[in-house]
Short mmCIF file of all heavy atoms in Angstrom, two decimals:
data_model
loop_
_atom_site.label_atom_id
_atom_site.label_comp_id
_atom_site.label_asym_id
_atom_site.label_seq_id
_atom_site.Cartn_x
_atom_site.Cartn_y
_atom_site.Cartn_z
N GLN A 384 -7.33 -8.72 12.34
CA GLN A 384 -6.27 -9.60 12.88
C GLN A 384 -5.61 -10.16 11.57
O GLN A 384 -4.32 -10.27 11.62
CB GLN A 384 -6.97 -10.73 13.70
CG GLN A 384 -6.02 -11.74 14.08
CD GLN A 384 -6.69 -12.90 14.85
OE1 GLN A 384 -7.89 -12.83 14.98
NE2 GLN A 384 -6.02 -13.92 15.30
N LYS A 385 -6.41 -10.72 10.63
CA LYS A 385 -5.79 -11.45 9.45
C LYS A 385 -4.93 -10.37 8.64
O LYS A 385 -3.72 -10.74 8.13
CB LYS A 385 -6.76 -12.07 8.61
CG LYS A 385 -7.37 -13.28 9.27
CD LYS A 385 -8.30 -14.03 8.18
CE LYS A 385 -8.71 -15.57 8.71
NZ LYS A 385 -9.37 -16.19 7.63
N ILE A 386 -5.44 -9.25 8.43
CA ILE A 386 -4.63 -8.35 7.50
C ILE A 386 -3.40 -7.76 8.19
O ILE A 386 -2.31 -7.69 7.62
CB ILE A 386 -5.60 -7.15 7.17
CG1 ILE A 386 -6.72 -7.70 6.13
CG2 ILE A 386 -4.71 -5.90 6.53
CD1 ILE A 386 -7.72 -6.51 5.82
N GLU A 387 -3.50 -7.41 9.45
CA GLU A 387 -2.36 -7.01 10.20
C GLU A 387 -1.22 -8.07 10.23
O GLU A 387 0.03 -7.79 9.97
CB GLU A 387 -2.79 -6.47 11.63
CG GLU A 387 -3.46 -5.08 11.65
CD GLU A 387 -3.72 -4.60 12.99
OE1 GLU A 387 -3.45 -5.39 14.00
OE2 GLU A 387 -4.24 -3.54 13.20
N GLY A 388 -1.57 -9.16 10.44
CA GLY A 388 -0.63 -10.35 10.66
C GLY A 388 0.02 -10.67 9.13
O GLY A 388 1.24 -10.79 9.10
N TRP A 389 -0.83 -10.54 8.17
CA TRP A 389 -0.42 -10.72 6.81
C TRP A 389 0.66 -9.55 6.45
O TRP A 389 1.69 -9.85 5.83
CB TRP A 389 -1.61 -10.82 5.93
CG TRP A 389 -1.43 -11.04 4.53
CD1 TRP A 389 -0.63 -11.97 3.89
CD2 TRP A 389 -1.90 -10.22 3.51
NE1 TRP A 389 -0.82 -11.74 2.41
CE2 TRP A 389 -1.51 -10.67 2.20
CE3 TRP A 389 -2.78 -9.00 3.39
CZ2 TRP A 389 -2.01 -10.02 1.04
CZ3 TRP A 389 -3.13 -8.53 2.40
CH2 TRP A 389 -2.78 -8.98 1.09
N LEU A 390 0.21 -8.40 6.61
CA LEU A 390 1.14 -7.27 6.19
C LEU A 390 2.42 -7.37 7.07
O LEU A 390 3.54 -6.98 6.50
CB LEU A 390 0.42 -5.85 6.45
CG LEU A 390 -0.80 -5.60 5.62
CD1 LEU A 390 -1.45 -4.33 6.05
CD2 LEU A 390 -0.41 -5.47 4.35
N ALA A 391 2.29 -7.60 8.30
CA ALA A 391 3.66 -7.69 9.08
C ALA A 391 4.55 -8.67 8.59
O ALA A 391 5.75 -8.62 8.81
CB ALA A 391 3.28 -8.10 10.63
N ALA A 392 4.06 -9.76 8.00
CA ALA A 392 4.81 -10.91 7.44
C ALA A 392 5.46 -10.57 6.01
O ALA A 392 6.30 -11.36 5.56
CB ALA A 392 4.15 -12.19 7.43
N ALA A 393 5.23 -9.42 5.40
CA ALA A 393 5.67 -9.09 4.12
C ALA A 393 7.13 -8.97 4.07
O ALA A 393 7.75 -8.38 5.06
CB ALA A 393 5.08 -7.78 3.70
N GLU A 394 7.80 -9.54 3.14
CA GLU A 394 9.22 -9.64 3.05
C GLU A 394 9.74 -8.73 1.83
O GLU A 394 11.01 -8.37 2.09
CB GLU A 394 9.65 -10.99 2.74
CG GLU A 394 9.37 -11.93 3.93
CD GLU A 394 9.79 -13.46 3.63
OE1 GLU A 394 10.25 -13.64 2.57
OE2 GLU A 394 9.73 -14.28 4.61
N ARG A 395 9.17 -8.37 0.90
CA ARG A 395 9.66 -7.70 -0.25
C ARG A 395 8.80 -6.54 -0.62
O ARG A 395 9.28 -5.40 -0.76
CB ARG A 395 9.77 -8.64 -1.48
CG ARG A 395 10.71 -9.86 -1.26
CD ARG A 395 10.96 -10.58 -2.46
NE ARG A 395 9.58 -11.05 -3.16
CZ ARG A 395 9.01 -12.07 -2.73
NH1 ARG A 395 9.46 -12.82 -1.78
NH2 ARG A 395 7.84 -12.39 -3.25
N SER A 396 7.48 -6.66 -0.71
CA SER A 396 6.60 -5.58 -1.26
C SER A 396 5.27 -5.61 -0.73
O SER A 396 4.71 -6.81 -0.42
CB SER A 396 6.48 -5.57 -2.83
OG SER A 396 5.95 -6.79 -3.38
N ILE A 397 4.53 -4.47 -0.68
CA ILE A 397 3.20 -4.25 -0.46
C ILE A 397 2.51 -3.31 -1.41
O ILE A 397 3.12 -2.11 -1.45
CB ILE A 397 2.87 -3.90 1.02
CG1 ILE A 397 3.40 -4.76 2.14
CG2 ILE A 397 1.43 -3.51 1.29
CD1 ILE A 397 3.47 -4.24 3.52
N GLN A 398 1.62 -3.76 -2.18
CA GLN A 398 0.92 -2.89 -3.13
C GLN A 398 -0.63 -2.77 -2.81
O GLN A 398 -1.18 -3.84 -2.68
CB GLN A 398 1.14 -3.45 -4.54
CG GLN A 398 2.50 -3.53 -5.04
CD GLN A 398 2.65 -4.66 -6.07
OE1 GLN A 398 2.87 -5.85 -5.85
NE2 GLN A 398 2.70 -4.21 -7.31
N ILE A 399 -1.03 -1.52 -2.65
CA ILE A 399 -2.46 -1.47 -2.26
C ILE A 399 -3.16 -0.61 -3.17
O ILE A 399 -2.69 0.51 -3.66
CB ILE A 399 -2.58 -0.70 -0.80
CG1 ILE A 399 -1.78 -1.59 0.26
CG2 ILE A 399 -3.93 -0.43 -0.55
CD1 ILE A 399 -1.58 -0.86 1.49
N ALA A 400 -4.36 -1.04 -3.71
CA ALA A 400 -5.31 -0.14 -4.50
C ALA A 400 -6.49 0.19 -3.47
O ALA A 400 -7.34 -0.76 -3.42
CB ALA A 400 -5.68 -0.78 -5.74
N ASP A 401 -6.50 1.37 -3.03
CA ASP A 401 -7.62 1.68 -1.98
C ASP A 401 -7.62 3.17 -1.81
O ASP A 401 -6.55 3.75 -1.47
CB ASP A 401 -7.21 0.93 -0.62
CG ASP A 401 -8.28 1.01 0.32
OD1 ASP A 401 -9.10 1.98 0.34
OD2 ASP A 401 -8.36 0.10 1.21
N ALA A 402 -8.71 3.80 -2.03
CA ALA A 402 -8.95 5.18 -1.89
C ALA A 402 -8.93 5.60 -0.44
O ALA A 402 -8.81 6.86 -0.15
CB ALA A 402 -10.01 5.67 -2.56
N LYS A 403 -9.03 4.72 0.48
CA LYS A 403 -9.33 5.16 1.89
C LYS A 403 -8.40 4.38 2.80
O LYS A 403 -8.94 3.64 3.72
CB LYS A 403 -10.70 5.13 2.28
CG LYS A 403 -11.60 5.91 1.46
CD LYS A 403 -13.19 5.77 1.84
CE LYS A 403 -14.10 6.56 0.93
NZ LYS A 403 -15.43 6.34 1.33
N VAL A 404 -7.08 4.46 2.62
CA VAL A 404 -6.04 3.78 3.65
C VAL A 404 -6.00 4.77 4.77
O VAL A 404 -5.18 5.79 4.77
CB VAL A 404 -4.79 3.56 2.95
CG1 VAL A 404 -3.83 2.97 3.98
CG2 VAL A 404 -4.93 2.71 1.64
N GLN A 405 -6.77 4.58 5.73
CA GLN A 405 -6.95 5.59 6.89
C GLN A 405 -6.72 4.99 8.28
O GLN A 405 -6.62 5.86 9.13
CB GLN A 405 -8.24 6.32 6.82
CG GLN A 405 -8.48 7.05 5.57
CD GLN A 405 -9.89 7.49 5.29
OE1 GLN A 405 -10.80 7.11 6.01
NE2 GLN A 405 -10.09 8.52 4.39
N ASP A 406 -6.78 3.78 8.45
CA ASP A 406 -6.74 3.26 9.78
C ASP A 406 -5.42 3.47 10.48
O ASP A 406 -4.40 3.13 9.84
CB ASP A 406 -7.09 1.72 9.82
CG ASP A 406 -6.92 1.12 11.25
OD1 ASP A 406 -8.00 1.22 12.00
OD2 ASP A 406 -5.89 0.54 11.53
N PRO A 407 -5.37 4.07 11.60
CA PRO A 407 -4.10 4.56 12.14
C PRO A 407 -3.14 3.40 12.34
O PRO A 407 -1.92 3.50 12.09
CB PRO A 407 -4.30 5.19 13.63
CG PRO A 407 -5.74 5.62 13.34
CD PRO A 407 -6.57 4.69 12.40
N ALA A 408 -3.56 2.25 12.91
CA ALA A 408 -2.74 1.12 13.04
C ALA A 408 -2.22 0.57 11.81
O ALA A 408 -0.92 -0.01 11.65
CB ALA A 408 -3.52 0.03 13.84
N ILE A 409 -3.00 0.52 10.72
CA ILE A 409 -2.52 -0.01 9.45
C ILE A 409 -1.46 0.98 8.89
O ILE A 409 -0.40 0.45 8.38
CB ILE A 409 -3.71 -0.25 8.52
CG1 ILE A 409 -4.66 -1.29 9.05
CG2 ILE A 409 -3.27 -0.50 7.12
CD1 ILE A 409 -4.20 -2.74 8.93
N VAL A 410 -1.72 2.23 8.95
CA VAL A 410 -0.73 3.27 8.40
C VAL A 410 0.46 3.03 9.18
O VAL A 410 1.59 3.12 8.56
CB VAL A 410 -1.33 4.62 8.48
CG1 VAL A 410 -0.38 5.70 8.18
CG2 VAL A 410 -2.72 4.80 7.62
N ARG A 411 0.56 3.05 10.40
CA ARG A 411 1.76 2.77 11.29
C ARG A 411 2.58 1.53 10.81
O ARG A 411 3.67 1.63 10.66
CB ARG A 411 1.36 2.80 12.83
CG ARG A 411 1.09 4.12 13.31
CD ARG A 411 1.30 4.06 14.96
NE ARG A 411 0.27 2.99 15.49
CZ ARG A 411 -0.98 3.31 15.84
NH1 ARG A 411 -1.39 4.57 15.59
NH2 ARG A 411 -1.77 2.31 16.34
N LEU A 412 1.71 0.52 10.61
CA LEU A 412 2.33 -0.74 10.25
C LEU A 412 3.08 -0.60 8.76
O LEU A 412 4.17 -0.99 8.52
CB LEU A 412 1.36 -1.94 10.15
CG LEU A 412 1.82 -3.28 9.73
CD1 LEU A 412 3.13 -3.69 10.46
CD2 LEU A 412 0.74 -4.21 9.79
N LEU A 413 2.44 0.14 7.91
CA LEU A 413 2.88 0.37 6.62
C LEU A 413 4.17 1.10 6.63
O LEU A 413 5.25 1.01 5.91
CB LEU A 413 1.89 0.95 5.65
CG LEU A 413 0.58 0.17 5.32
CD1 LEU A 413 -0.39 0.93 4.55
CD2 LEU A 413 1.05 -1.12 4.55
N VAL A 414 4.16 2.18 7.54
CA VAL A 414 5.30 3.02 7.69
C VAL A 414 6.58 2.28 8.23
O VAL A 414 7.73 2.40 7.77
CB VAL A 414 5.04 4.26 8.67
CG1 VAL A 414 6.30 5.01 8.96
CG2 VAL A 414 4.00 5.23 7.95
N GLN A 415 6.28 1.41 9.21
CA GLN A 415 7.30 0.54 9.74
C GLN A 415 7.86 -0.45 8.72
O GLN A 415 9.02 -0.68 8.60
CB GLN A 415 6.77 -0.36 10.84
CG GLN A 415 6.35 0.50 12.08
CD GLN A 415 5.53 -0.27 13.07
OE1 GLN A 415 5.39 -1.56 13.03
NE2 GLN A 415 5.09 0.31 14.14
N LYS A 416 6.99 -1.04 7.87
CA LYS A 416 7.45 -1.89 6.73
C LYS A 416 8.37 -1.08 5.72
O LYS A 416 9.38 -1.64 5.23
CB LYS A 416 6.26 -2.67 6.12
CG LYS A 416 5.55 -3.50 6.99
CD LYS A 416 6.30 -4.52 7.77
CE LYS A 416 6.85 -5.67 6.86
NZ LYS A 416 7.45 -6.72 7.54
N ALA A 417 7.92 0.08 5.41
CA ALA A 417 8.72 0.89 4.53
C ALA A 417 9.96 1.22 5.05
O ALA A 417 11.04 1.19 4.36
CB ALA A 417 7.97 2.25 4.20
N ALA A 418 10.01 1.51 6.46
CA ALA A 418 11.34 1.89 6.98
C ALA A 418 12.31 0.73 7.09
O ALA A 418 13.54 0.91 7.16
CB ALA A 418 11.09 2.34 8.39
N SER A 419 11.76 -0.46 7.03
CA SER A 419 12.58 -1.67 7.09
C SER A 419 13.10 -2.07 5.72
O SER A 419 13.72 -3.07 5.58
CB SER A 419 11.84 -2.93 7.79
OG SER A 419 10.89 -3.29 6.86
N GLY A 420 12.71 -1.41 4.71
CA GLY A 420 13.14 -1.70 3.28
C GLY A 420 12.23 -2.34 2.44
O GLY A 420 12.45 -2.66 1.27
N ILE A 421 10.93 -2.64 2.82
CA ILE A 421 9.86 -3.13 2.18
C ILE A 421 9.38 -2.12 1.15
O ILE A 421 9.08 -0.95 1.60
CB ILE A 421 8.76 -3.70 3.04
CG1 ILE A 421 9.24 -4.64 3.89
CG2 ILE A 421 7.62 -4.39 2.11
CD1 ILE A 421 9.90 -6.04 3.27
N ALA A 422 9.14 -2.36 -0.10
CA ALA A 422 8.51 -1.42 -1.00
C ALA A 422 7.15 -1.33 -0.77
O ALA A 422 6.35 -2.25 -1.06
CB ALA A 422 8.84 -1.82 -2.44
N VAL A 423 6.62 -0.15 -0.30
CA VAL A 423 5.21 0.12 0.01
C VAL A 423 4.65 1.07 -0.94
O VAL A 423 5.09 2.29 -0.98
CB VAL A 423 4.98 0.43 1.44
CG1 VAL A 423 3.47 0.71 1.66
CG2 VAL A 423 5.53 -0.61 2.38
N ARG A 424 3.61 0.64 -1.80
CA ARG A 424 3.10 1.56 -2.74
C ARG A 424 1.58 1.58 -2.60
O ARG A 424 0.88 0.45 -2.49
CB ARG A 424 3.37 1.15 -4.30
CG ARG A 424 4.95 1.37 -4.48
CD ARG A 424 5.19 1.06 -5.96
NE ARG A 424 5.06 -0.33 -6.39
CZ ARG A 424 4.91 -0.87 -7.60
NH1 ARG A 424 5.03 0.01 -8.61
NH2 ARG A 424 4.83 -2.10 -7.83
N VAL A 425 0.89 2.72 -2.63
CA VAL A 425 -0.51 2.97 -2.53
C VAL A 425 -0.99 3.62 -3.72
O VAL A 425 -0.58 4.68 -3.94
CB VAL A 425 -0.85 3.64 -1.30
CG1 VAL A 425 -2.39 3.83 -1.19
CG2 VAL A 425 -0.49 2.79 -0.01
N LEU A 426 -1.92 2.98 -4.44
CA LEU A 426 -2.72 3.61 -5.52
C LEU A 426 -4.07 4.09 -4.86
O LEU A 426 -4.79 3.34 -4.17
CB LEU A 426 -3.13 2.69 -6.62
CG LEU A 426 -2.10 2.52 -7.74
CD1 LEU A 426 -2.41 1.39 -8.69
CD2 LEU A 426 -2.04 3.77 -8.62
N GLY A 427 -4.33 5.43 -4.96
CA GLY A 427 -5.48 6.02 -4.38
C GLY A 427 -6.16 7.11 -5.11
O GLY A 427 -6.01 7.14 -6.45
N ASP A 428 -6.67 8.16 -4.44
CA ASP A 428 -7.00 9.30 -5.20
C ASP A 428 -6.53 10.51 -4.33
O ASP A 428 -6.05 10.37 -3.12
CB ASP A 428 -8.60 9.37 -5.28
CG ASP A 428 -9.37 9.46 -3.96
OD1 ASP A 428 -8.78 9.91 -2.92
OD2 ASP A 428 -10.50 9.01 -3.87
N GLU A 429 -6.42 11.62 -5.02
CA GLU A 429 -5.76 12.78 -4.49
C GLU A 429 -6.37 13.19 -3.18
O GLU A 429 -5.69 13.69 -2.17
CB GLU A 429 -5.82 13.98 -5.50
CG GLU A 429 -4.93 13.71 -6.82
CD GLU A 429 -3.45 13.67 -6.60
OE1 GLU A 429 -3.05 13.98 -5.35
OE2 GLU A 429 -2.81 13.34 -7.34
N ALA A 430 -7.79 13.04 -2.98
CA ALA A 430 -8.42 13.56 -1.80
C ALA A 430 -7.94 12.87 -0.62
O ALA A 430 -7.77 13.60 0.55
CB ALA A 430 -9.83 13.31 -1.98
N HIS A 431 -7.68 11.55 -0.62
CA HIS A 431 -7.23 10.91 0.54
C HIS A 431 -5.71 10.56 0.57
O HIS A 431 -5.21 10.50 1.59
CB HIS A 431 -7.99 9.52 0.56
CG HIS A 431 -9.42 9.61 0.67
ND1 HIS A 431 -10.24 9.51 -0.40
CD2 HIS A 431 -10.27 9.72 1.69
CE1 HIS A 431 -11.52 9.79 -0.01
NE2 HIS A 431 -11.46 9.84 1.23
#
């Protein structure tokens, strides 16, 4: 609840360092924010 609400309120940028960004709802939210012009960047590993 806290993370989804916080990400939804992002106005400029979202930066994530996480090798396992896999939750479908979180990924959909990140795609929506990117489509709205928010800079979304993920540092991870090649496998994921």
Side-chain angles (χ1 to χ4, degrees):
Q384 177 185 1
K385 286 192 172 186
I386 289 174
E387 288 184 353
W389 176 57
L390 293 176
E394 297 179 350
R395 298 185 305 277
S396 64
I397 298 173
Q398 299 158 274
I399 300 172
D401 188 335
K403 298 177 182 178
V404 181
Q405 299 171 338
D406 180 75
I409 295 290
V410 172
R411 284 195 300 270
L412 179 54
L413 294 176
V414 171
Q415 292 169 7
K416 299 303 289 186
S419 70
I421 304 297
V423 179
R424 295 185 289 168
V425 173
L426 273 170
D428 61 30
E429 294 291 354
H431 298 94

